[in-house]
Short mmCIF file of all heavy atoms in Angstrom, two decimals:
data_model
loop_
_atom_site.label_atom_id
_atom_site.label_comp_id
_atom_site.label_asym_id
_atom_site.label_seq_id
_atom_site.Cartn_x
_atom_site.Cartn_y
_atom_site.Cartn_z
N ALA V 19 -4.56 4.08 -2.94
CA ALA V 19 -3.50 4.24 -1.96
C ALA V 19 -4.03 4.78 -0.63
O ALA V 19 -3.49 4.49 0.42
CB ALA V 19 -2.41 5.17 -2.50
N ARG V 20 -5.13 5.53 -0.69
CA ARG V 20 -5.76 6.04 0.54
C ARG V 20 -6.72 5.05 1.16
O ARG V 20 -7.33 5.35 2.19
CB ARG V 20 -6.51 7.33 0.22
CG ARG V 20 -5.63 8.51 -0.04
CD ARG V 20 -6.46 9.78 -0.18
NE ARG V 20 -7.85 9.49 -0.43
CZ ARG V 20 -8.57 9.97 -1.44
NH1 ARG V 20 -8.05 10.81 -2.27
NH2 ARG V 20 -9.83 9.65 -1.58
N GLY V 21 -6.92 3.90 0.51
CA GLY V 21 -7.83 2.90 1.06
C GLY V 21 -9.28 3.12 0.66
O GLY V 21 -10.19 2.61 1.31
N ARG V 22 -9.50 3.86 -0.39
CA ARG V 22 -10.85 4.10 -0.90
C ARG V 22 -11.06 3.27 -2.16
O ARG V 22 -10.11 2.83 -2.80
CB ARG V 22 -11.06 5.59 -1.24
CG ARG V 22 -10.69 6.58 -0.17
CD ARG V 22 -11.33 6.36 1.17
NE ARG V 22 -12.77 6.42 1.15
CZ ARG V 22 -13.55 5.98 2.13
NH1 ARG V 22 -13.02 5.47 3.21
NH2 ARG V 22 -14.85 6.05 2.04
N CYS V 23 -12.30 3.08 -2.55
CA CYS V 23 -12.62 2.32 -3.76
C CYS V 23 -12.00 3.02 -4.97
O CYS V 23 -12.25 4.20 -5.21
CB CYS V 23 -14.14 2.24 -3.93
SG CYS V 23 -14.66 1.57 -5.52
N PRO V 24 -11.17 2.31 -5.75
CA PRO V 24 -10.55 2.95 -6.92
C PRO V 24 -11.53 3.17 -8.08
O PRO V 24 -11.17 3.82 -9.06
CB PRO V 24 -9.43 1.99 -7.31
CG PRO V 24 -9.77 0.70 -6.68
CD PRO V 24 -10.65 0.98 -5.52
N ASN V 25 -12.73 2.65 -7.97
CA ASN V 25 -13.73 2.86 -9.01
C ASN V 25 -14.47 4.18 -8.81
O ASN V 25 -14.64 4.94 -9.75
CB ASN V 25 -14.72 1.69 -9.04
CG ASN V 25 -15.64 1.76 -10.23
OD1 ASN V 25 -15.19 1.79 -11.36
ND2 ASN V 25 -16.93 1.81 -9.97
N CYS V 26 -14.88 4.46 -7.56
CA CYS V 26 -15.66 5.67 -7.30
C CYS V 26 -14.97 6.64 -6.34
O CYS V 26 -15.30 7.81 -6.32
CB CYS V 26 -17.04 5.32 -6.75
SG CYS V 26 -17.02 4.62 -5.08
N GLY V 27 -14.04 6.15 -5.52
CA GLY V 27 -13.33 7.01 -4.58
C GLY V 27 -14.07 7.29 -3.29
O GLY V 27 -13.57 8.02 -2.44
N ARG V 28 -15.25 6.70 -3.11
CA ARG V 28 -16.05 7.01 -1.92
C ARG V 28 -16.09 5.88 -0.91
O ARG V 28 -15.94 6.12 0.28
CB ARG V 28 -17.46 7.39 -2.33
CG ARG V 28 -17.49 8.68 -3.14
CD ARG V 28 -18.87 9.04 -3.52
NE ARG V 28 -19.46 7.89 -4.24
CZ ARG V 28 -20.65 7.88 -4.78
NH1 ARG V 28 -21.42 8.92 -4.70
NH2 ARG V 28 -21.10 6.82 -5.42
N GLY V 29 -16.33 4.68 -1.35
CA GLY V 29 -16.46 3.55 -0.42
C GLY V 29 -15.11 3.04 0.05
O GLY V 29 -14.08 3.29 -0.56
N PRO V 30 -15.10 2.29 1.16
CA PRO V 30 -13.84 1.72 1.65
C PRO V 30 -13.36 0.58 0.76
O PRO V 30 -14.15 -0.22 0.26
CB PRO V 30 -14.18 1.23 3.05
CG PRO V 30 -15.65 0.99 3.02
CD PRO V 30 -16.22 1.97 2.05
N LEU V 31 -12.06 0.49 0.56
CA LEU V 31 -11.47 -0.57 -0.25
C LEU V 31 -11.29 -1.84 0.58
O LEU V 31 -11.40 -2.94 0.06
CB LEU V 31 -10.12 -0.11 -0.81
CG LEU V 31 -9.31 -1.12 -1.62
CD1 LEU V 31 -10.09 -1.60 -2.83
CD2 LEU V 31 -7.99 -0.51 -2.05
N PHE V 32 -11.02 -1.67 1.87
CA PHE V 32 -10.70 -2.82 2.72
C PHE V 32 -11.84 -3.15 3.67
O PHE V 32 -12.54 -2.27 4.15
CB PHE V 32 -9.43 -2.54 3.53
CG PHE V 32 -8.21 -2.34 2.68
CD1 PHE V 32 -7.70 -1.08 2.44
CD2 PHE V 32 -7.58 -3.43 2.09
CE1 PHE V 32 -6.59 -0.90 1.66
CE2 PHE V 32 -6.46 -3.26 1.30
CZ PHE V 32 -5.96 -1.99 1.08
N ALA V 33 -11.96 -4.46 3.96
CA ALA V 33 -12.94 -4.95 4.93
C ALA V 33 -12.19 -5.51 6.14
O ALA V 33 -12.66 -6.42 6.79
CB ALA V 33 -13.82 -6.02 4.30
N GLY V 34 -11.05 -5.00 6.43
CA GLY V 34 -10.18 -5.45 7.50
C GLY V 34 -8.83 -4.79 7.29
O GLY V 34 -8.72 -3.84 6.52
N TRP V 35 -7.79 -5.30 7.95
CA TRP V 35 -6.46 -4.69 7.82
C TRP V 35 -5.94 -4.78 6.39
O TRP V 35 -5.51 -3.80 5.82
CB TRP V 35 -5.49 -5.34 8.80
CG TRP V 35 -4.08 -4.91 8.59
CD1 TRP V 35 -3.05 -5.68 8.15
CD2 TRP V 35 -3.52 -3.61 8.77
NE1 TRP V 35 -1.90 -4.94 8.05
CE2 TRP V 35 -2.16 -3.66 8.42
CE3 TRP V 35 -4.06 -2.39 9.17
CZ2 TRP V 35 -1.33 -2.56 8.48
CZ3 TRP V 35 -3.22 -1.29 9.23
CH2 TRP V 35 -1.87 -1.39 8.89
#
Side-chain angles (χ1 to χ4, degrees):
R20 288 187 342 233
R22 309 306 300 165
C23 171
N25 188 58
C26 69
R28 295 180 305 183
L31 177 59
F32 297 103
W35 172 247

